[in-house]
Amino acid sequence: MTNEKVLCEVTENHLNTGLRGIPVGTCRTSFVTPSEGVHYCGYPIRELVDFSPEDIIYLLFNKELPNLEQSAQFKADLSSRATLPNGVEEVLKTLPKTGHPMDWLSIGIHALGMCDTTENWLDDALNLVARMPRLMGLIFRYREGRTSDIPVDDVSKSLVERFVETLDLANVDKAKMSKVVSTYLVLHMDHGGGNLSTFTGKSIASGKATVYSAIAGAMNALSGPLHGRANQSCLEFVLKVGSSDEAEVERFVRNELSEGRPVFGFGHAVLSVEDPRATAQFELGEKICPEDENFKIIKTLRKVAPRVLSENKKIRNPNANVDIASGALLHHVGLKDPTYYTTFFGWARVAGIGAQIVDERVNMRSGKGVPIYRPKYFPEGQQLRHIE
Ligand code: CMX
């Protein structure tokens, strides 16, 4: 007999349910609570909204916020890692423009790994973090055929500035775009250990594939409509609503429900209140675009949808989730095409998944690392015999 605590009794009913709720490990970077949502290294997300993405990346990798000197040193370290290896742009040039940006992102990350891998988990994870802004900007440029006069990558600038400069869109307010993208990154960097993309990335890395292969795989997992692509669907949904009039919005929401379609941007698997990441984005929207038509629509949705959804007692949380507002803000600052939105989610998650991979590969179990993932499957129809 040991004194080990039983965390969960696994029964036959748990089989073929996607491992939902089955304990598999511990996570050092983040956890989610029903009342305050995601916490990074113990800090509730609402306390972190105004930090720079670099400081939050430092937090996820080091488990503490940097002081001013550490922050400056970390930014300099990322700059020293930022230059893309030769060969990556050549790969982007060959990709079909009809391909989804998430497929471009996955291939771009693979290409980065094929052109330069150190085989040190931490170095590879930080190199990838540092190279993401340029890769992201180039994905937009090559996929849209805007390949002439791409600005040189000024690696002394912040991660977000490097993306905005590479993208170099005409007639946009670059400072506003930087603020929206920075906030987006901070809010989306991590979300516990068991979400599909993080789990996939850690699972690939457990076989000692490279950080690049693991995170490219994580991006493929994120690209599905039930996972990261919900943020693309959410702005498409807002554009479909088309009016911020309360009665019109209510009619629209009721019609979506009667047609059996989800009301995007509402509901959550863990939270029981409005996601603080949604609240933070509404606050940002009030500052930068209170008169934007899409912003007005999501404000009306925020008022109307929880009331309508509450009529269905099965829905545990009828409140706004993180995806309600991000699309409207990105759209407002000039990032108009929702097809790209999941790539921002992916870009943000590179830090969280990268930090979790480093923890599992080199820090956990007193430095031995977590072994190769190997959950158990039973022959169909013979579960009990094999359990006995
Ligand atoms: N619109 C319509 N139906 C909804 C709903 C919504 N916004 N939220 C929940 N429901 C339904 C569920 O589909 C489920 O129906 P069934 O019993 O027929 O399967 C029932 O209400 C109970 O769901 P739940 O226990 O409250 O929530 P789940 O954990 O099953 O689902 C989520 C959570 C997010 C998938 C769901 O709320 C949803 O589909 N929302 C709309 C899509 C969306 O905004 N996705 C982005 C999620 C962002 C995030 O996770 O952070």
Side-chain angles (χ1 to χ4, degrees):
M1 277 294 274
T2 69
N3 288 328
E4 281 179 76
K5 191 173 167 197
V6 176
L7 295 174
C8 164
E9 206 148 317
V10 179
T11 70
E12 268 193 291
N13 288 340
H14 286 99
L15 300 179
N16 300 328
T17 57
L19 281 172
R20 182 159 285 244
I22 306 291
V24 287
T26 55
C27 176
R28 295 182 173 189
T29 55
S30 64
F31 59 86
V32 185
T33 66
S35 59
E36 292 188 299
V38 69
H39 296 58
Y40 296 163
C41 303
Y43 294 95
I45 191 69
R46 64 162 197 285
E47 290 181 16
L48 300 173
V49 179
D50 293 324
F51 281 81
S52 70
E54 287 85 345
D55 283 351
I56 301 302
I57 295 165
Y58 182 99
L59 171 67
L60 293 170
F61 278 88
N62 296 285
K63 321 303 181 235
E64 60 179 17
L65 283 165
N67 60 31
L68 283 179
E69 193 187 333
Q70 287 164 329
S71 173
Q73 265 172 12
F74 186 60
K75 283 173 188 155
D77 180 44
L78 288 179
S79 295
S80 73
R81 299 169 180 275
T83 305
L84 258 55
N86 289 334
V88 176
E89 282 194 55
E90 299 308 311
V91 173
L92 296 181
K93 276 178 200 161
T94 67
L95 299 183
K97 295 189 173 45
T98 48
H100 193 278
M102 281 304 282
D103 293 332
W104 279 64
L105 181 60
S106 172
I107 289 169
I109 291 171
H110 258 307
L112 282 172
M114 281 189 273
C115 295
D116 177 34
T117 307
T118 69
E119 294 181 13
N120 173 297
W121 293 103
L122 180 59
D123 276 327
D124 277 344
L126 291 177
N127 286 348
L128 178 55
V129 163
R131 293 169 191 177
M132 281 303 292
R134 183 68 170 176
L135 176 65
M136 281 287 294
L138 292 177
I139 286 173
F140 276 76
R141 300 282 312 224
Y142 281 101
R143 190 169 174 276
E144 290 166 0
R146 293 193 302 116
T147 48
S148 56
D149 304 322
I150 298 178
V152 172
D153 188 15
D154 180 351
V155 296
S156 69
K157 293 197 164 164
S158 74
L159 294 174
V160 169
E161 281 169 332
R162 285 175 46 222
F163 164 72
V164 171
E165 291 302 332
T166 303
L167 190 63
D168 201 22
L169 284 180
N171 306 319
V172 297
D173 179 334
K174 288 186 176 176
K176 246 189 197 183
M177 184 186 282
S178 296
K179 178 65 191 159
V180 166
V181 173
S182 286
T183 306
Y184 186 99
L185 292 181
V186 166
L187 296 178
H188 286 79
M189 275 187 194
D190 207 31
H191 206 253
N195 62 81
L196 180 66
S197 48
T198 305
F199 186 75
T200 301
K202 291 190 295 186
S203 146
I204 294 173
S206 78
K208 305 223 168 136
T210 66
V211 164
Y212 295 92
S213 297
I215 294 189
M219 294 303 120
N220 296 336
L222 189 68
S223 70
L226 294 187
H227 193 12
R229 209 189 290 184
N231 67 356
Q232 172 184 331
S233 311
C234 209
L235 186 74
E236 288 165 350
F237 175 81
V238 170
L239 295 173
K240 242 168 72 183
V241 178
S243 161
S244 58
D245 175 76
E246 217 172 301
E248 292 269 321
V249 170
E250 178 161 347
R251 220 177 352 262
F252 184 88
V253 167
R254 289 190 184 282
N255 187 54
E256 290 299 288
L257 288 171
S258 70
E259 297 284 330
R261 288 190 287 266
V263 178
F264 281 97
F266 294 87
H268 199 272
V270 180
L271 274 155
S272 54
V273 294
E274 177 171 287
D275 190 330
R277 298 173 300 171
T279 314
Q281 292 180 94
F282 277 113
E283 284 166 8
L284 179 59
E286 289 296 351
K287 285 186 201 142
I288 66 165
C289 58
E291 294 310 317
D292 179 281
E293 203 40 51
N294 293 323
F295 187 67
K296 288 203 246 168
I297 293 173
I298 61 169
K299 273 181 24 175
T300 312
L301 273 168
R302 186 192 198 188
K303 207 161 143 192
V304 168
R307 174 164 48 77
V308 175
L309 289 170
S310 303
E311 292 168 11
N312 178 352
K313 298 298 168 218
K314 270 197 327 190
I315 299 180
R316 285 177 297 116
N317 178 5
N319 298 300
N321 63 46
V322 67
D323 287 331
I324 182 63
S326 54
L329 298 185
L330 292 170
H331 191 272
H332 175 77
V333 296
L335 297 158
K336 306 266 184 216
D337 181 353
T339 333
Y340 285 95
Y341 291 174
T342 313
T343 63
F344 291 103
F345 193 169
W347 174 12
R349 279 293 157 90
V350 164
I353 300 173
Q356 291 198 36
I357 287 175
V358 172
D359 285 341
E360 288 208 356
R361 292 303 96 228
V362 299
N363 296 329
M364 286 180 163
R365 299 172 83 229
S366 311
K368 272 199 300 188
V370 175
I372 187 167
Y373 281 26
R374 190 64 177 95
K376 186 170 177 65
Y377 280 77
F378 297 93
E380 176 80 32
Q382 299 180 36
Q383 292 97 331
L384 273 180
R385 189 159 63 77
H386 281 259
I387 290 170
E388 280 159 5

